[in-house]
Amino acid sequence: MFKLARFLKPYKKQVIAGPIFKLIEAVFELIVPLVMANIIDIGVKNNDGPYIWRMGGLLLLLGVVGLCSTLVCQYFASIASQGFGTELRNKLFRHINTFSYAEVDKFGTPSLITRLTNDVNQMQQAVAMLIRLVIRAPFLAAGAIVMAMLLDLKMSLIFLVAAPFLAGVIFLVMNRSIPFYRGIQKKLDRISLISRENLSGARVIRAFSKQESEKERFQQASDDLSKTAIRVGKISALLNPATTVILNIAIIGIVWYGGRRVQIGDLSQGEIIAFVNYINQILLAMIVIANLVVLFTKASASAARINEVLETMPSIVETAEKPVNVPLKADTPKVEFQNVSFAYAGSDEYSLEDIQLQIRRGETIGIIGGTGSGKSTLINLIPRFYEATKGAVLVDGVNVKEYPFEQLRTQIGLVPQKATLFSGTIRENLQWRKENATDEEIARALSIAQASEFVDALPEKYDAVIDQGGKNLSGGQKQRLTIARALVGEPELLILDDSASALDFATDAALRQAIRRETKNMTVILVSQRASTIRNANQIVVLDDGRVAGIGTHQQLMSTCETYREICLSQLSSEEVGA
């Protein structure tokens, strides 16, 4: 937790002033029993009404000043805790956005969301309680004991006897419950994962009638969390009755022993009342301390999870500070793979091995292969979403490691397999690559992507609202809009990663013709499992189990590459294959 204290630096004033005001309130609270004792011993005993009214006014004044001090402390605690949470959440979000695909895969999206929300909230609450109670509660407990000792040393021995028993009960309860609190956050991750899978995959679940099994899976995870919470709750529930019993026994001791002292004239009735008030203050302070231990145990677990993210450095780091001066030569390939091999983190096997490939400017390249052959992995190495394990990936003759991320990625228009749109208007989604893109540029991109027809049919056209994740669009419509988004601003390199899978064959053919006709100077990489999609490419790269099985035109590969021939014959008729 101390590692995260740096986020409190902008709020030093609140962190220091808040506890000071809380201490002022605690001091006044410690004075109250003495005033009560005087009211009983002087005012009531002597039937002195004016004195009682004066002391009553003093009690009211102490209460008002204490309340004002508490409100000021609460105000400072709110500023500091909310500011701390905002700073930490922003830093965590920015850091997560520096992660490459490898780090995101390592943590998992549900866990990162839980850490960004629930864990940060736990830390916010801990900061608020730190300012409000961490100093006040121990001070009040110790102060009550000191004030009791000043009243009468012998009677205060009852406090000193009760204190170890109270501390022992708190220690035993906390010692048993702390391990459970640490496990609860991991079980929240599990519930977050199942919830996310069910909400995003609702259509699939219903299509396979798996609602009951998913309900059971969620129920099991929820029950697991519930059982842990109930178990720790049962242990924690022992705290209040156990401490109350000990303190009530102490009160009985005070009343019994104090009564005898009153009879012989060593103590007054008011002092007995003061002793009872002080021991009640100790009880409340001890309960607060116990709850703080629980809270900070949860916060400690959350802090460890947050620090784990913050201390994880991205495996792909931007080393270039200034844009690279790219020497453009006619014979320099747009993209080149030089003996590239790649293995995912934690894997002993290469997903790609010894890839040698050159892609010329203005060419259309088709990449085809079976499922798991490494097609998507290959193209993800170009914008440095993953780092090549061996070899080098070059863009315009320059190693991608030498480019600043912005310079490298702004020249690439990438359409991933999963069509992802964001809530907002069609115009806002299409302006992602180029913020100031005009309506003419948007219209041209939509026309090439074969999306003009359905967009122009919408009443709001470019200002039509897209729901979260594009839920109000069909799969084909989403794919066409993501292709249009990549085309806005005319990137030098367009990568379509199986991004026409939801399109019918006629639309797919029209899309390819439009790209070939309207983007003559653009280098295009078509990744597909459809032979018809890539057969007219200038060059076709055939991948098989992470290796290049063949490179050439359709006709060349039909003669020389068995893998490509098998793919084509499984999808096309003999006449189409020979056409």
Side-chain angles (χ1 to χ4, degrees):
M1 291 177 64
F2 293 107
K3 292 181 181 178
L4 299 177
R6 65 185 187 274
F7 294 102
L8 280 172
K9 284 184 178 178
Y11 308 98
K12 284 182 181 178
K13 182 181 75 174
Q14 289 82 0
V15 172
I16 295 171
I20 290 173
F21 279 96
K22 205 64 177 176
L23 282 178
I24 293 171
E25 185 258 342
V27 169
F28 289 154
E29 193 169 337
L30 289 172
I31 296 173
V32 167
L34 295 180
V35 177
M36 288 293 298
N38 286 334
I39 290 175
I40 294 169
D41 291 338
I42 299 174
V44 176
K45 184 178 180 180
N46 299 325
N47 198 24
D48 187 347
Y51 182 84
I52 294 173
W53 280 106
R54 285 198 304 274
M55 291 297 102
L58 178 60
L59 283 177
L60 181 61
L61 178 62
L62 290 174
V64 170
V65 175
L67 175 62
C68 291
S69 298
T70 300
L71 292 176
V72 172
C73 175
Q74 178 68 43
Y75 175 71
F76 285 148
S78 298
I79 292 175
S81 62
Q82 293 301 319
F84 168 85
T86 301
E87 294 281 340
L88 178 56
R89 194 177 292 109
N90 289 341
K91 171 66 176 177
L92 195 58
F93 185 78
R94 286 195 298 269
H95 188 69
I96 289 171
N97 274 278
T98 66
F99 285 171
S100 68
Y101 284 8
E103 286 75 48
V104 175
D105 294 343
K106 171 189 170 185
F107 286 104
T109 303
S111 180
L112 288 173
I113 292 172
T114 303
R115 294 172 201 234
L116 196 58
T117 53
N118 184 272
D119 287 328
V120 173
N121 288 342
Q122 290 283 0
M123 292 303 302
Q124 269 188 200
Q125 191 175 2
V127 169
M129 293 301 106
L130 172 71
I131 295 172
R132 291 173 53 196
L133 298 173
V134 164
I135 294 178
R136 178 189 183 274
F139 176 82
L140 197 59
I145 294 175
V146 170
M147 294 298 287
M149 293 175 71
L150 292 175
L151 276 176
D152 188 272
L153 190 59
K154 290 182 180 179
M155 282 284 288
S156 64
L157 292 175
I158 296 174
F159 287 59
L160 298 177
V161 171
F165 286 100
L166 285 170
V169 168
I170 292 172
F171 173 78
L172 288 174
V173 171
M174 293 301 99
N175 190 50
R176 294 294 303 277
S177 60
I178 281 173
F180 292 105
Y181 286 118
R182 288 174 178 161
I184 283 175
Q185 293 303 111
K186 293 182 180 178
K187 292 178 181 182
L188 280 172
D189 274 353
R190 176 67 179 163
I191 288 179
S192 177
L193 170 64
I194 296 172
S195 300
R196 188 173 186 275
E197 287 180 343
N198 273 263
L199 293 173
S200 61
R203 291 175 174 83
V204 177
I205 291 168
R206 291 176 183 178
F208 286 87
S209 297
K210 299 291 288 184
Q211 292 97 318
E212 293 303 319
S213 62
E214 287 303 301
K215 287 178 185 176
E216 185 178 344
R217 188 162 75 107
F218 183 86
Q219 184 72 38
Q220 288 174 351
S222 183
D223 286 347
D224 188 25
L225 175 64
S226 177
K227 286 175 183 176
T228 304
I230 290 171
R231 190 171 180 183
V232 73
K234 287 179 179 178
I235 296 172
S236 299
L238 296 173
L239 188 63
N240 283 356
T243 52
T244 302
V245 167
I246 293 171
L247 287 174
N248 280 328
I249 292 172
I251 291 173
I252 291 170
I254 289 171
V255 173
W256 176 77
Y257 181 59
R260 295 183 61 185
R261 298 281 304 281
V262 169
Q263 284 182 342
I264 61 177
D266 286 349
L267 284 176
S268 66
Q269 293 96 329
E271 289 173 330
I272 298 298
I273 297 299
F275 271 106
V276 172
N277 281 335
Y278 281 131
I279 203 161
N280 279 322
Q281 286 181 352
I282 292 173
L283 169 62
L284 293 174
M286 288 293 188
I287 291 173
V288 168
I289 290 170
N291 289 329
L292 285 176
V293 171
V294 172
L295 176 65
F296 281 102
T297 299
K298 293 179 181 178
S300 178
S302 293
R305 286 158 53 83
I306 291 170
N307 280 320
E308 185 185 5
V309 175
L310 293 176
E311 290 170 2
T312 298
M313 292 297 104
S315 56
I316 299 176
V317 181
E318 186 176 26
T319 54
E321 297 181 358
K322 297 180 180 179
V324 178
N325 184 18
V326 182
L328 293 178
K329 297 179 181 179
D331 59 343
T332 303
K334 180 62 184 176
V335 180
E336 184 176 3
F337 292 84
Q338 295 180 345
N339 302 105
V340 171
S341 297
F342 174 79
Y344 286 99
S347 175
D348 296 329
E349 296 183 0
Y350 285 118
S351 299
L352 294 172
E353 192 168 0
D354 197 27
I355 304 295
Q356 283 273 44
L357 176 62
Q358 289 188 351
I359 301 173
R360 300 286 174 184
R361 287 191 187 88
E363 281 188 334
T364 296
I365 301 298
I367 300 177
I368 195 169
T371 302
S373 60
K375 302 185 298 295
S376 295
T377 303
L378 182 70
I379 58 101
N380 280 328
L381 296 177
I382 301 173
R384 284 191 78 193
F385 294 152
Y386 290 107
E387 198 86 277
T389 309
K390 291 182 181 179
V393 181
L394 280 62
V395 172
D396 290 328
V398 179
N399 194 316
V400 292
K401 295 180 181 180
E402 298 178 20
Y403 280 100
F405 287 150
E406 185 176 358
Q407 184 185 7
L408 173 64
R409 292 170 182 171
T410 50
Q411 61 180 303
I412 300 172
L414 175 64
V415 185
Q417 283 182 333
K418 184 179 179 182
T420 302
L421 294 171
F422 297 87
S423 54
T425 64
I426 290 176
R427 187 194 309 276
E428 290 168 347
N429 271 271
L430 295 188
Q431 287 177 330
W432 267 56
R433 284 200 74 256
K434 187 177 180 182
E435 292 183 4
N436 59 349
T438 63
D439 284 359
E440 289 74 19
E441 290 176 293
I442 292 174
R444 180 174 181 275
L446 288 170
S447 175
I448 296 171
Q450 307 303 301
S452 295
E453 184 180 351
F454 83 85
V455 171
D456 290 340
L458 297 172
E460 301 89 353
K461 293 186 169 51
Y462 302 161
D463 294 316
V465 175
I466 297 175
D467 291 345
Q468 182 182 6
K471 293 292 192 298
N472 56 335
L473 300 173
S474 70
Q477 289 173 334
K478 286 194 289 186
Q479 283 194 336
R480 280 178 279 172
L481 285 179
T482 55
I483 293 170
R485 179 175 61 195
L487 287 166
V488 170
E490 297 186 356
E492 296 175 27
L493 174 62
L494 177 65
I495 302 175
L496 305 178
D497 184 9
D498 204 14
S499 52
S501 57
L503 304 184
D504 58 76
F505 285 97
T507 305
D508 183 20
L511 170 66
R512 284 183 279 111
Q513 288 175 4
I515 290 174
R516 188 164 53 249
R517 183 178 63 251
E518 301 290 339
T519 60
K520 292 180 180 179
N521 297 322
M522 191 182 296
T523 306
V524 180
I525 300 177
L526 296 172
V527 179
S528 181
Q529 296 189 46
R530 289 182 184 176
S532 59
T533 299
I534 52 89
R535 59 176 295 173
N536 293 319
N538 301 115
Q539 237 187 146
I540 298 170
V541 180
V542 185
L543 291 179
D544 184 23
D545 198 21
R547 290 177 173 272
V548 174
I551 299 177
T553 63
H554 170 72
Q555 296 298 338
Q556 290 171 340
L557 290 172
M558 284 299 297
S559 304
T560 60
C561 182
E562 182 65 28
T563 303
Y564 182 74
R565 190 184 306 112
E566 289 177 0
I567 293 172
C568 288
L569 292 174
S570 68
Q571 298 179 13
L572 307 173
S573 65
S574 301
E575 291 78 9
E576 289 173 316
V577 168

